[in-house]
Amino acid sequence: MKILVINSGSSSIKFQLLDMADEAVLASGLVERIGEPQGLIKCTLRPGTDKELVVKKTESIADHTGGMRLAVEILLDKDQGVIADKSDVGAIGHRVVHGGEDFHQPTVITAEVLTAIEKNIPLAPLHNPANMDGIRVARELFVGVVQVAVFDTAFHQTIPPHAYHYALPYELYEQERIRRYGFHGTSHKFVAGECARVMGRPLAELNLITIHLGNGCSMTAVENGKSVDTSLGFTPLEGLVMGTRSGDVDPAIHAFLARNCNMDIEAIDRLLNKDSGLKGLCGLNDMRDIHAAIAAGNERAKLALQVQTYRNKKYIGAFMAVLGRVDGIVFTAGIGENDGVVRAMSLQGLEPFGITLDHEANGRRSTQPALLSTAESRVQVWVIPTNEELAIARETKAVLSR
Ligand code: ADP
């Protein structure tokens, strides 16, 4: 069966078509700058094969419908395309950012499901409407094809109340649904499953700490295969130090900025989400640039690296306490997969906790899952590439066979 995965943002649509017989990627593409004068679509057909073909078009793309139509045209092209007919697509999996407390697992999209996604818009005002646009367009273009919503928050719905409640007036939970939800759930679940596979053990018996370090960063405590705590909270701002997001700060900083720095709530929100994190500390938010700056003697870049990796270590310690026994620590996403320095600094000094990195293995580049700890290390340390599209495709397939 072929599954189309759609990740629809406010001005972009990422899509991938996979053949689930062997999980091969048939096409992978991105529609960008939707609604701007000059839109862009780039699609790679049959990537990684000797028939690989990159199709690029620049033209005005008025809306999500226009963008998706262009994508479908490329997939269906009678000379170069990868499907002969729209009915070749067996199912469509959509990334949906916020499922609130309504969705604990991927779900076939019905009118009721759409209403529930809409109900959660206040919790993800930028993301859920864009995700809904993608769903609406896909339903128009692929009439009768099963559509499945895969939620970023669903994996974390097993987090117990003592971990998801903030110590705020209880009414704020009841009336406004303010609680910790967590995000990146599809990625955490995927790498936890992959870790169990490479360890050769059932996920349901494993305690893991999964660490997703990309532009956004988060860490999850996985107990017997289930998320029991995670670092992102009510919004994707809490927890670790990210590219441009602050992660944990004293909440009273908001009031201080408002009273003393003449900032309104929009400016404070922007400061914490767009101008903080690594970028706030040193002006750079790409870890590769930070390493280059450190090599050139930039002290602030060094500080940014230290602040991020110290925060990582602090959360690892916290999640070890949450779990008691930890079988594995998994690094994933752009920084986690590629940056041995960040991994080593995040685990530095944790040998008394049974974590011993094999520095040679940690220094090697790998696009495959790789063990980074020594044979003696009580806790195994792994690097496992995440693959959100494949994860969504697998979840979609699993829903169909439920
Ligand atoms: P997103 O969170 O947007 O999905 P990614 O997981 O792709 O992002 O991570 C992007 C980040 O990964 C970049 O900002 C960069 O800091 C980091 N990164 C990518 N490649 C490398 C590398 N070779 N070494 C260190 N960091 C890298």
Side-chain angles (χ1 to χ4, degrees):
M1 176 201 286
K2 295 187 178 72
I3 292 184
L4 180 63
V5 173
I6 296 179
N7 181 352
S8 173
S10 56
S11 66
S12 70
I13 305 170
K14 274 195 216 160
F15 61 94
Q16 211 170 85
L17 182 70
L18 293 104
D19 187 342
M20 296 314 283
D22 55 357
E23 297 188 337
V25 178
L26 301 174
S28 177
L30 174 65
V31 188
E32 281 181 290
R33 298 191 216 131
I34 296 172
E36 289 179 34
Q38 191 80 291
L40 175 70
I41 179 166
K42 182 179 169 194
C43 180
T44 309
L45 299 167
R46 295 171 283 269
T49 70
D50 50 6
K51 291 191 189 130
E52 179 174 312
L53 178 74
V54 180
V55 183
K56 267 190 198 172
K57 284 183 188 170
T58 28
E59 61 182 76
S60 155
I61 302 170
D63 51 19
H64 284 68
T65 308
M68 209 55 227
R69 271 191 207 288
L70 277 176
V72 172
E73 258 172 41
I74 295 173
L75 299 178
L76 277 170
D77 185 277
K78 65 177 180 349
D79 301 321
Q80 300 150 344
V82 286
I83 45 173
D85 191 88
K86 280 196 235 172
S87 62
D88 288 353
V89 174
I92 300 180
H94 293 271
R95 176 187 184 218
V96 180
V97 166
H98 219 308
E101 292 183 320
D102 298 298
F103 298 103
H104 298 230
Q105 54 190 5
T107 307
V108 172
I109 298 169
T110 59
E112 293 77 50
V113 168
L114 273 175
T115 307
I117 296 172
E118 194 168 13
K119 186 190 96 187
N120 286 306
I121 286 178
L123 299 176
L126 299 179
H127 290 102
N128 273 25
N131 302 155
M132 290 184 73
D133 276 343
I135 294 171
R136 184 182 45 73
V137 172
R139 290 178 111 200
E140 272 165 34
L141 292 180
F142 293 88
V143 178
V145 175
V146 182
Q147 318 249 346
V148 174
V150 181
F151 300 92
D152 264 21
T153 49
F155 182 53
H156 301 304
Q157 278 296 302
T158 45
I159 294 175
H162 60 260
Y164 73 63
H165 272 288
Y166 293 110
L168 291 169
Y170 196 80
E171 298 72 42
L172 287 176
Y173 169 64
E174 288 179 311
Q175 290 157 19
E176 305 295 333
R177 295 184 291 144
I178 296 178
R179 51 158 283 181
R180 310 185 61 255
Y181 291 97
F183 299 88
H184 292 153
T186 309
S187 174
H188 286 288
K189 186 178 175 190
F190 178 80
V191 296
E194 286 293 287
C195 188
R197 184 177 65 77
V198 291
M199 280 178 148
R201 296 179 55 187
L203 180 59
E205 287 173 13
L206 285 180
N207 286 0
L208 303 171
I209 296 175
T210 52
I211 310 176
H212 178 112
L213 303 176
N215 277 314
C217 300
S218 65
M219 196 178 297
T220 297
V222 177
E223 184 175 53
N224 298 324
K226 295 197 159 71
S227 172
V228 291
D229 204 349
T230 194
S231 61
L232 292 171
F234 178 60
T235 73
L237 185 58
E238 195 177 336
L240 305 181
V241 175
M242 310 179 218
T244 65
R245 291 178 244 160
S246 63
D248 294 340
V249 293
D250 184 337
I253 291 173
H254 291 69
F256 181 93
L257 291 172
R259 290 193 196 107
N260 298 287
C261 305
N262 197 24
M263 290 177 79
D264 63 15
I265 206 64
E266 293 307 323
I268 295 170
D269 200 42
R270 203 163 47 243
L271 176 101
L272 294 169
N273 278 290
K274 304 260 185 241
D275 297 322
S276 295
L278 298 171
K279 183 181 171 202
L281 285 164
C282 72
L284 303 167
N285 64 301
D286 189 306
M287 196 47 92
R288 290 163 289 196
D289 297 338
I290 289 177
H291 285 302
I294 294 171
N298 182 325
E299 285 297 319
R300 290 250 220 108
K302 190 169 155 195
L303 177 69
L305 175 68
Q306 288 169 335
V307 172
Q308 189 191 53
T309 53
Y310 174 75
R311 182 81 54 86
N312 290 345
K313 175 152 66 177
K314 204 159 131 175
Y315 264 89
I316 292 169
F319 284 175
M320 290 189 83
V322 166
L323 294 170
R325 187 199 83 236
V326 177
D327 302 299
I329 293 178
V330 180
F331 285 93
T332 194
I335 299 174
E337 288 167 30
N338 295 300
D339 199 323
V341 174
V342 167
R343 290 189 300 250
M345 286 176 72
S346 304
L347 299 176
Q348 200 172 25
L350 295 182
E351 292 80 6
F353 295 89
I355 302 167
T356 311
L357 205 56
D358 174 341
H359 287 277
E360 205 190 308
N362 184 48
R364 274 197 294 269
R365 267 290 172 70
S366 170
T367 54
Q368 296 300 313
L371 183 65
L372 306 180
S373 48
T374 62
E376 296 74 43
S377 185
R378 201 166 66 238
V379 179
Q380 293 191 355
V381 180
W382 286 87
V383 58
I384 298 187
T386 193
N387 186 336
E388 209 174 9
E389 288 76 20
L390 176 58
I392 292 173
R394 282 187 189 168
E395 298 270 12
T396 301
K397 188 178 163 195
V399 171
L400 300 183
S401 51
R402 260 206 313 253

